[in-house]
Amino acid sequence: MLILSACIEQSTDNSSTNTNSPKSSLESLDSTPKSEPSPSSLYKPGSAEGPAQNVPFPAMPAEARKFTEDGAKSFTLYYFDLLNYAIDSTDTKEIERISEDDCTICYKSIIDEAEEIKKAHRWQVGGKHQAVVIDSHISGKNIAIVTVEFTSDVGKVYSAPSVVHEKLQKQDATSLAFDLSYNKGWTVHKIMGVE
Amino acid sequence: MGALLKLMMAMMLTLPIAAASPPTNIVPASFRQTIPMGLGIDGNDIEEQRKEQDSKVVTPTAGPPPDPDSKDNAENKRRVSNKQKKYHIRDYQTCVPGTENTKGCDSNPDQSTCPDGTYPIIRQLLDNNGRLVNQYQYCPGDPPKMEIPEDGRIEEAPRAIIITVEKFRSYPIKASKIQSSPNKFSLRNGHTHFWASKEVQEFKSEISDQNVKIKAIPIQWNWNYGDGSTRNLNFPGEAMPSHTLHDETKTSHSYTKTGKFGVTVTTLYRGEFSVDGGPWQAIPGQAAVPSNSLPIDVWRTEKELIAND
């Protein structure tokens, strides 16, 4: 029965994350009095009507800068934060900075894709990714391999208000290994699936 | 006796007839089935990247291209094996059901399993620098996807003792014992309560003059009720002295047909080992140990008693 309940928990988790995460970032915005958010600077999630607005930029945790197994873990999870941020904002500046040039998946699945969506004046709602680290080790001089299991939610890409350009399916738990380099900070050398 | 049966049947009538639970759905962790697009990492891209990667990797066993002019094949082979790249191997286990508490992880109940019910091990191949070359799932006993000759392997630490899953499986790990209530007997559509034993087992071994302790820890009980239905649970169940056939329990099973059935449970054990009193280290992979069969005789009650009620 535990197996079953774990399954149910997971599926409810998936459906709730989408609504939870923008809420929590709203709350954190509200609790910082110094910025005095005017209604126009509040985060507005993307919808059928238009793309997300004022998407809060995720800050890199201090841990993610360290050359340790935990640092590599934290960095990899941060990469997923940036991916979700790119989905909302199509801003790939930071994710490009920490992705090495020959990282195929970094470019093909994220950076180039975001450029394309932006150029075509489309926007994506949903399709956010959630990752859990299942293995992390320093494998060489300035290299770490971090394996995650990730899922992604259903989503839609709109080409105009209420005009669905494409529907994104839910992705079931999939393992991915991140081959990272360290040079005054982590970068993604390669992302690889499990055969 | 007639009155007792009548009472039982009266109770049985109020029971919803439980359908045989379908076999646990094992979904292969294949991402080929889902084709999401848009912004994000999707299965197609992962696969394409893999193919690209595979074309770059020179499989060590592939050997040199045939050289028609070569008269000395052995010499040729040796030369190539000296030139070939060396690889590190790292095995690890994803979060498997039953290890959530020890590993502090969330398991995926739908992850694919090996033919014996155990969960595949992930093998990483790393080059000399520590770069990831390949990563694949394998089940113990599978033919290797990339055969690394002995001289192509980098020794992690000379003389380090590693207990492989094959070695772990060679220890005489005892199966769980199963019992039922009622004992070896049931009525059609009644809830027969089953439970299995749960026992951590320890073995001692001397490897390279060092004392090695090996622990086998049960994590999953895969039931086969003998009527075509199976169920995988991460707890063994327990004795319930006051159980009756109309009490559904977490480990009970309802037979929809009469007859004689053999019930078995295959217990999955994960392993840990400790060298000379050192820290316990996890062994990737599990051992699947099948139990003896428990015979269950399933009867039905007389129809006329139903009519009398």
Side-chain angles (χ1 to χ4, degrees), chain A residues 12-34:
Chain A
T12 49
D13 253 297
N14 278 349
S15 55
S16 64
T17 20
N18 218 358
T19 47
N20 274 347
S21 50
K23 215 183 272 170
S24 62
S25 39
L26 266 180
E27 275 160 15
S28 65
L29 267 178
D30 283 346
S31 61
T32 47
K34 56 173 182 178

Side-chain angles (χ1 to χ4, degrees), chain A residues 1-3 108-109 113 124 129 135 137 139 143 147 166 168 174 177 179 181 190-195, chain B residues 31 36-41 45 48-50 53 90 92 124 129-133 135 137 232 234-235:
Chain A
M1 275 304 146
L2 263 177
I3 293 179
K108 214 175 160 174
S109 304
E113 198 74 53
Q124 180 170 327
H129 293 50
D135 187 62
H137 64 114
S139 62
I143 299 175
T147 308
E166 78 185 333
L168 312 179
T174 304
D179 182 329
S181 314
K190 182 165 53 192
I191 300 176
M192 190 190 262
V194 177
E195 206 177 316
Chain B
F31 28 73
M37 286 183 285
L39 203 169
I41 304 170
D45 293 346
E48 263 181 50
Q49 186 272 347
R50 282 208 62 84
Q53 190 67 36
R90 176 186 165 88
Y92 70 92
Q124 284 181 342
N129 298 321
R131 286 277 173 224
L132 186 62
V133 177
Q135 147 152 296
Q137 290 193 22
N232 300 348
N234 58 4
F235 52 89

Side-chain angles (χ1 to χ4, degrees), chain B:
Chain B
M1 184 61 191
L4 179 68
L5 268 180
K6 192 173 171 181
L7 183 69
M8 270 182 130
M9 276 321 299
M11 291 186 301
M12 295 290 290
L13 277 175
T14 60
L15 275 175
I17 294 176
S21 60
T24 310
N25 192 17
I26 294 164
V27 183
S30 160
F31 28 73
R32 290 183 182 93
Q33 295 162 351
T34 54
I35 312 170
M37 286 183 285
L39 203 169
I41 304 170
D42 67 57
N44 287 342
D45 293 346
I46 296 170
E47 197 137 310
E48 263 181 50
Q49 186 272 347
R50 282 208 62 84
K51 280 183 192 150
E52 192 189 302
Q53 190 67 36
D54 284 350
S55 65
K56 283 187 201 163
V57 176
V58 181
T59 309
T61 44
D67 180 1
D69 297 327
S70 165
K71 283 175 191 161
D72 192 347
N73 258 334
E75 176 59 33
N76 204 9
K77 262 185 200 159
R78 203 174 307 129
R79 210 170 54 229
V80 169
S81 92
N82 284 342
K83 267 195 277 174
Q84 80 199 355
K85 284 185 177 173
K86 299 218 168 203
Y87 295 97
H88 281 283
I89 283 179
R90 176 186 165 88
D91 287 346
Y92 70 92
Q93 186 80 62
T94 56
C95 191
V96 304
T99 63
E100 298 88 344
N101 289 340
T102 43
K103 287 183 90 173
C105 58
D106 291 324
S107 67
N108 171 11
D110 290 336
Q111 61 183 285
S112 59
T113 53
C114 300
D116 65 357
T118 61
Y119 295 95
I121 296 166
I122 311 265
R123 172 157 280 186
Q124 284 181 342
L125 238 62
L126 306 149
D127 69 12
N128 223 346
N129 298 321
R131 286 277 173 224
L132 186 62
V133 177
N134 202 351
Q135 147 152 296
Y136 55 86
Q137 290 193 22
Y138 84 96
C139 294
D142 274 1
K145 289 198 178 138
M146 268 184 83
E147 181 112 44
I148 312 292
E150 275 307 307
D151 63 349
R153 277 184 78 150
I154 299 167
E155 287 290 324
E156 304 301 327
R159 302 180 53 76
I161 291 174
I162 296 287
I163 303 291
T164 62
V165 69
E166 287 83 7
K167 177 86 184 156
F168 174 59
R169 289 174 174 198
S170 73
Y171 290 97
I173 304 170
K174 278 185 289 184
S176 300
K177 286 197 186 79
I178 39 179
Q179 292 180 73
S180 72
S181 162
N183 186 21
K184 299 180 185 177
F185 168 80
S186 189
L187 289 177
R188 191 176 63 176
N189 297 332
H191 296 288
T192 319
H193 176 58
F194 292 100
W195 69 100
S197 59
K198 176 185 184 177
E199 196 191 330
V200 176
Q201 296 163 52
E202 209 170 298
F203 306 95
K204 284 187 182 126
S205 200
E206 203 171 284
I207 302 169
S208 311
D209 291 334
Q210 286 184 290
N211 290 316
V212 181
K213 274 194 279 187
I214 293 101
K215 243 191 317 198
I217 303 151
I219 55 167
Q220 189 169 301
W221 288 261
N222 295 350
W223 293 89
N224 185 329
Y225 298 106
D227 60 348
S229 47
T230 58
R231 186 154 67 144
N232 300 348
L233 299 171
N234 58 4
F235 52 89
E238 57 188 3
M240 288 182 162
S242 56
H243 174 264
T244 66
L245 277 169
H246 58 276
D247 302 327
E248 186 173 359
T249 70
K250 283 178 176 177
T251 52
S252 64
H253 178 66
S254 176
Y255 288 92
T256 53
K257 288 197 175 99
T258 57
K260 288 182 171 153
F261 302 97
V263 180
T264 54
V265 73
T266 297
T267 311
L268 300 192
Y269 288 88
R270 67 177 182 88
E272 288 183 359
F273 71 99
S274 155
V275 180
D276 269 341
W280 288 98
Q281 302 173 63
I283 302 166
Q286 303 97 41
V289 186
S291 71
N292 289 332
S293 175
L294 177 79
I296 290 283
D297 205 351
V298 180
W299 291 38
R300 66 183 171 85
T301 42
E302 288 290 330
K303 264 184 187 164
E304 57 192 280
L305 287 168
I306 300 172
N308 280 350
D309 194 57

Side-chain angles (χ1 to χ4, degrees), chain A residues 22 26 29 39 41-47 49-56 88:
Chain A
L26 266 180
L29 267 178
S41 68
L42 275 179
Y43 170 66
K44 196 179 159 203
S47 68
E49 299 313 309
Q53 288 167 31
N54 307 311
V55 186
D88 257 0

